[in-house]
Amino acid sequence: GVTYYWTAFGNASQIGRAGGANDFFVGQYIGTSLDGSLVRALPFSPDLVVTKRVANTEPAWRTSTQSGDQAIYFTVRASNANRFQDFTADGFELGGSNRVNRTGSIYDFFMFAEGDRLDVNTYTGSGAAQSITTPDFQPDLLWLKKISGGTAQEALLRSSEQTGDGALSFINLGSLTDGITDLIRNGFSLGALDEANASGFSYQYASWNNKSY
């Protein structure tokens, strides 16, 4: 009797497999602990990368609109340096942190490039209801995460399958109201929940489009 929401991404490109999308790639790398290590020779420059050690370490992610040597998390953890240092023309550069680059550890990752099916950007919270405009599509999936200042918060997500005022937490909480209140024609609307819209603080988002108009 419990409702679950899920998302599946298809047609990823991979090393050693012909074809696949030119904006979505999945792969693995082995950590070295060397600051400035490159994961390279990939088919495009990413705008979003998510990586996870094949062990009990939480995943980290970064987008091309974040500045400096930073990574963010899905859990209640503040941004940290020395994780993803930069994106390159054919991959990404790692710091020496064990969370993304432990010697001998295997990491799974996936990455996307921006285009007519993905938008990544930042916005500033207002503490009151506001709408955030994306490129000209209504999102089918949205992630957002507070990236600076105040009390650290977990990331939220919402898919187009949800109705009404509701957002799902990446930690073990139920659906939250007054956070992501709707996915609108050209973006998304927010309530006043600190996880989504605390006044004066910066937030990162990634939104995906799966529709053809």
Side-chain angles (χ1 to χ4, degrees):
V2 176
T3 300
Y4 292 81
Y5 295 97
W6 57 270
T7 303
F9 298 103
N11 197 37
S13 55
Q14 295 175 263
I15 296 296
R17 192 186 82 178
N22 60 8
D23 57 359
F24 174 36
F25 181 89
V26 298
Q28 285 187 329
Y29 62 88
I30 298 175
T32 65
S33 295
L34 297 176
D35 189 52
S37 298
L38 294 174
V39 180
R40 58 176 298 276
L42 304 180
F44 57 85
S45 179
D47 290 290
L48 169 67
V49 174
V50 181
T51 189
K52 170 73 172 77
R53 186 162 74 102
V54 185
N56 58 340
T57 302
E58 65 184 299
W61 56 296
R62 177 182 171 141
T63 77
S64 57
T65 56
Q66 289 172 243
S67 60
D69 175 7
Q70 292 289 321
I72 53 180
Y73 303 94
F74 297 104
T75 59
V76 183
R77 182 184 294 275
S79 302
N80 289 125
N82 203 31
R83 272 68 172 171
F84 296 110
Q85 294 186 324
D86 204 359
F87 291 163
T88 65
D90 65 346
F92 50 95
E93 179 183 340
L94 300 170
S97 168
N98 284 345
R99 294 192 179 276
V100 298
N101 197 15
R102 183 186 181 96
T103 300
S105 289
I106 297 172
Y107 293 81
D108 289 318
F109 74 91
F110 62 88
M111 66 185 205
F112 286 90
E114 268 197 314
D116 59 3
R117 298 171 81 80
L118 172 73
D119 178 50
V120 297
N121 213 332
T122 59
Y123 65 89
T124 301
S126 66
Q130 66 166 331
S131 293
I132 306 300
T133 300
T134 67
D136 191 26
F137 65 77
Q138 182 176 10
D140 285 291
L141 177 67
L142 172 69
W143 295 353
L144 60 82
K145 166 76 175 181
K146 186 180 180 187
I147 58 175
S148 72
T151 302
Q153 304 287 350
E154 81 277 13
L156 300 181
L157 73 153
R158 177 173 173 145
S159 80
S160 55
E161 291 297 308
Q162 288 181 260
T163 59
D165 176 3
L168 299 177
S169 171
F170 274 96
I171 63 174
N172 59 334
L173 297 174
S175 184
L176 304 173
T177 59
D178 206 32
I180 305 169
T181 55
D182 203 1
L183 301 177
I184 59 177
R185 174 63 184 83
N186 61 342
F188 53 95
S189 59
L190 302 172
L193 195 70
D194 283 353
E195 284 92 332
N197 198 20
S199 180
F201 296 124
S202 294
Y203 291 79
Q204 175 67 57
Y205 74 81
S207 65
W208 286 264
N209 171 30
N210 190 40
K211 288 182 291 295
S212 298
Y213 291 104

